[in-house]
Amino acid sequence: MPRCRALSKWPAIMVAALLMDGAISRPARADALVILPGDFQLVGTAARQRLVVAHQIVVESSGQPSCTGEVTEGVELFSSDPAVVRIEGLDAVPVANGVASLTARHGDESATVSVTVSGCERPWQWSFRNHVQSALTKSGCSMGACHGAQHGKNGFKLSLRGYDAQHDFDTLVREARGRRIVPADPARSMLLTKPTGAIPHGGGLRFGVDSHDYRVLSEWIASGTPGPRDEDPRIARVEVSPSQSILKPGMRQQLLVTAHFSDGHSEDVTRWVKFTASDVGVAPVDEQGQVSIAGPGECTVSIWYLSLVTFATVTVPYEHSATPESLATATGRNFIDTRVLEKLAALRIPASPRATDEEFLRRAFIDTIGVLPTAQDTRDFLADTSPDKRDRLIDALLARPEFVDYWTYKWSDLLLVNSEKLPAPAMWAYSSWIRNQVAANTPWDKLVRELLTASGSTLENGATNFFVLHEDPTALSENICQAFLGMSIGCAKCHNHPLEKWTNDQYFAMANLLARVRTKNGPGEGNRIVFSDTSGDLVQPSTGKAQPPTPLDGTSLALDDRNDRREHLAAWLCSPENPYFTRAVVNRVWANFMKVGLVESVDDLRKTNPASNEPLLAALAQHLIDQHYDLRALMRAILQSETYQRSSASLPENAADQRYYSRYYPRRLMAEVLLDAFAQVLGAPSQFPGYPADWRAIQLPDSNVASYFLKTFGRPDRVITCECERTAEPSMVQALHMTNGDAINQKLRTAGNRIEQLLAAHTPDEQLIEEAFLAALARRPSDEERGRLLEIFAATPDAERRAAVEDLYWGLLSSKEFLFNH
């Protein structure tokens, strides 16, 4: 393989593009030779460290090195003292205690790292907790498809991914009369004969007799099968090298993973890591941690070892004709644009130009208040020549009553306002509470705190209905985490979470914070009284004991503490120091305006699903904290950004971008907004049973309202706290409904509608056409559209004039331009 110098032509392009917005001042170091993972230690005679020689640059703005390609040919490695550490291929091997340096030479370049060797004077012993469990997990034995399944396989059950070391030790050594282990002759142990294929094994060949895993297991058996001990070193953190890479298609990059333990020692654990690529179209990764670059974009490789997760980012700039000058033409207005442009520059993706006034007007109305601008709104905005008219429009939208309608509806989806699960009076109280919070612009942290600590009557304090909907403490805990932290912890109910750090103990400790919430009947229909009891605990099934009530990453309460535990939970959850709470709501708000969440989907903020632009998500979260959780201030910053105000029309160089916001991403109007838009344009309100005749769909407090259109076009049922309940997926039923259904056709025929009013006023053809376009599309017709329509109207007999106008409106309302926000 030829020498990899990935940035031989990228640095000038990237640096020039980053300089456009002051992102960096200059590269601190370009294309330096390095040995990864840097300085390291080898503890014990069995330790090994894989070495990778690569080139990297360091950008001063972040201070983070980025690998630009692994060097695999023509490299010479030397040890300054082979009596301390020697080189075997690409591995550093300990010989005796001491300190030595390793040097790599490649042509006229060189790099050096320091190595500390210790523990060679002690007999080596494999740790069941840290080594045997790792080998069993990497081989797949303790995974969900094998013996880590809920009921195991063929009477042999291990804990999922080895989360319960004591259970697995007892299963291997003591269960089945000890026949799985033969201490006197390790090679005859079923733990080795089955996975190596010496005897039939339903799981097939898992490792060979010459493998490192075989050595670990056989030597552990030969040493007397020592079990897990309380004093065993525990995993503290994992580190990956390189954590960031900038590469080109066709290149390869080996990842190295170092585990740091509670006793201060570290180990190369690359061989036992579970690697997962977020986008195999960019950078698939094999089981050994070697990344292969397949195409342009950005990919995150998740690294899972024992109970911890970290990740590496691989950036592959697009290979197109964009120049530093073309990348630098994009302008930025606020901190959002700075972070977005940095990412686009790194990927060499040019930004689309600014949206027209017509596009911005319609887009901002729909995304902010869920209604279309009227024809007069559009005329006024287009006639305004002041440079700050977009900012004034944004402020006006944030202050309109429709803003309260729209965001009450959005948060009602999240909080599951639904008369199928709540009596009607309670449902109305719950919805009214949410509406009052939105209308008062209650800071998000205060809103959530009041919700989580609510007590009293469900009719007098609507927030208490949240607890009526989720009376079981485990379900309540799961919904709180999903709604306000953007994460699912349900998997940890049975075992340690396979994709996150949450353990089974943490799950029940969190749920125990809610075990004392009680309800009782109150006077009046649908009235329940919510209160906090002073006793009672949730028992963890696996231990038969209650876990001390503890927020996921917080401090514990004493089991005998008689105060309302929800106060402790709310204080932890709503704190600015909570790394999940602020990011979760920021991501939801961002997705409302930008279609695609920085973390997608918005309910899935686990560490193994990182943001497409982590610096931007962090900056938005900090902005919300600085604004004291004022969501309108956050929305204003998003709406004012050039990122939001870009055209949805793609350039040849950014057409493939779906995650980095080089343009505005078109999307179909949500079901309720779409139905209201039909009603607004045609002046024919929809009718909902039991509600006033002029109510819009977005004003409905309840999702349990019969509407074939809303159901067909993806309205959520508000049964579970998940964004997946709402769908914008197209279907044949939707297409047929647009053609033959009542949503448009009935409104076209409604007496006294907009069409009838225009015809009764003898509106001239040209004015009638313009009115229709302004009302539906927030723009005037083009010359070609106007000319063709005038010809049609001129040839239409008076008796068929209404039918012609209805056809015009039907054509506009069923067009892609109308159905999508763009």
Side-chain angles (χ1 to χ4, degrees), residues 135 237 323 595:
R237 63 186 177 91
T323 64
K595 179 190 175 183

Side-chain angles (χ1 to χ4, degrees), residues 552-565:
L552 291 178
D553 265 343
T555 58
S556 300
L557 290 174
L559 283 169
D560 59 356
D561 190 323
R562 297 171 65 84
N563 293 314
D564 189 345
R565 293 174 175 179

Side-chain angles (χ1 to χ4, degrees), residues 466-497:
F466 181 74
F467 296 98
V468 176
L469 288 169
H470 316 292
E471 293 194 55
D472 177 74
T474 58
L476 181 56
S477 175
E478 289 181 22
N479 276 278
I480 288 171
C481 291
Q482 192 85 59
F484 305 122
L485 303 179
M487 62 174 67
S488 171
I489 63 169
C491 291
K493 186 173 185 178
C494 299
H495 47 68
N496 287 3
H497 201 298

